Amino acid sequence: MNTAGHSKATAPRGLELTPFRGLRYDPDRVGSLAAVTSPPYDVVVRPDGLHHLQSADPHNIVRLILPEAAAPEERNAQAAETLRRWRAEGVLTPDPEPGLYVYEQRDGDGLEQRGVIGALRVSEPDEHLVLPHEDVMPHIVADRADLMRATSANLEPLLLTYRGDDTTAGTAGLIERTAGRPPLLATTTEDGVHHRLWPVTDPAGLAVIRDELSAHQALIADGHHRWATYRRLRAEHPSPSPWDHGLVLLVDTARYPLRVRAIHRLLHGLPVARALGALDEFFRVRRLDLPLSKAMDALAEAAEEGNAFLLTGDDGAFHLVDRPDPALLDRTVPVDRPEAWRTLDATVLHATLLDHVWRVPDDPAHIAYIHDTAATVDKARRDGGTAVLMHPVHEDVVRELARQGVTMPRKSTSFGPKPASGLVLRALDL
């Protein structure tokens, strides 16, 4: 019986995190747990990263979240068949009873993050419970919805955050006590991050989490498109149904602040010389013959004074672009939004540079969004396009705009660490 698929007649006005039977890899049936994990689907740099993960283990989760075939219908059918076969063969097996999962990530640089994985009731925007901070691209939502329909599964958790306080002390204590026990699984992925997972099945502990979170709202840190997909699929299925809930990781950022990184842009078909030539009268442009790390330091310094971007392409140099013409911003940036939104680098990039100066349409044929800085640079230099490297936005700015109901331009931020895909899945028939 799918406990997450049966809602009460009147859902509480708050976050409702529900236990579920996790579907997990049998460690005896795979090379290693690390070898079957992956970053979230939109972080995998295709095709290099995809092929690397595929070769790590024949059962790597990318064969489900990023199936390869000529047509979308074939890809989704392939993922569904792969999931069915892995379950039949015992590669993926369900846990014996429903529960929540405490999840920990640690690395060698002092990062430690703990949160709770569960099936969250999918709420509507007017409930103001799950706050987005970015717009979504409809074609990606449609793609993820087709995959979830085909597999009838939540294949990877979204990353949501909440601000804990005295009212969540019981949940915080339970997480810390749970992390002191032997884990259900432990593995170290290729990036050096240590992952541990514990089940929480005790009714008293589950009740504490349920009651305390019901008084809070959450910010979508990573997974806007998948949350929009959850909402679409919930609307398609009469309630109650398993689609009323979606798989998430909830992290208390009062205890475990997330790292915020930028998501960079790769502009196909726009050589960097042409991009720079269009900026002379509107921005200050300085050539930096520096390595990537030093150039990013220069970007961070310039960003303290205002909008700043770092461009590179096939000329092998970095170009720091800052000090936009105020008159240009007045003409191009919409005035019906808060000042914090109007001054975002992503706002200026999209409203001013892409729409007005460069006239580059925001679609996959013209722009790629890439999380990895070095990969963005390499692709621009290899393909002859222009990499636009961004400086990250502070989490407080993101959260305040979200509370005002103001969404940032799509792909404005990258919160992390993101949960590894492949540690626990949610099949809707369990």
Side-chain angles (χ1 to χ4, degrees), residues 307 329-330 333-345 347-348 397 401 404 406:
N307 300 119
L329 298 184
D330 289 341
V333 176
V335 297
D336 60 345
R337 305 288 182 89
E339 180 70 12
W341 181 90
R342 298 182 75 248
T343 56
L344 290 169
D345 287 340
T347 298
V348 173
V397 175
L401 286 172
Q404 296 178 49
V406 178

Side-chain angles (χ1 to χ4, degrees), residues 414-429:
S414 176
F415 283 91
K418 305 177 191 302
S421 299
L423 294 180
V424 60
L425 293 65
R426 175 177 173 249
L428 272 66
D429 62 351

Side-chain angles (χ1 to χ4, degrees), residues 351-370:
T352 303
L353 288 171
L354 294 177
D355 291 352
H356 181 81
V357 177
W358 293 329
R359 300 189 183 280
V360 175
D362 189 1
D363 60 50
H366 295 88
I367 302 177
Y369 293 84
I370 305 176

Side-chain angles (χ1 to χ4, degrees), residues 54-95:
Q54 286 174 336
S55 64
D57 189 285
H59 300 107
N60 189 283
I61 192 69
V62 294
R63 298 183 186 276
L64 299 181
I65 63 175
L66 289 173
E68 284 197 302
E73 297 82 4
E74 296 174 23
R75 292 197 294 270
N76 296 327
Q78 181 185 97
E81 171 56 24
T82 299
L83 179 58
R84 184 205 63 76
R85 187 175 71 254
W86 288 357
R87 291 180 65 178
E89 294 172 351
V91 174
L92 287 167
T93 60
D95 282 333

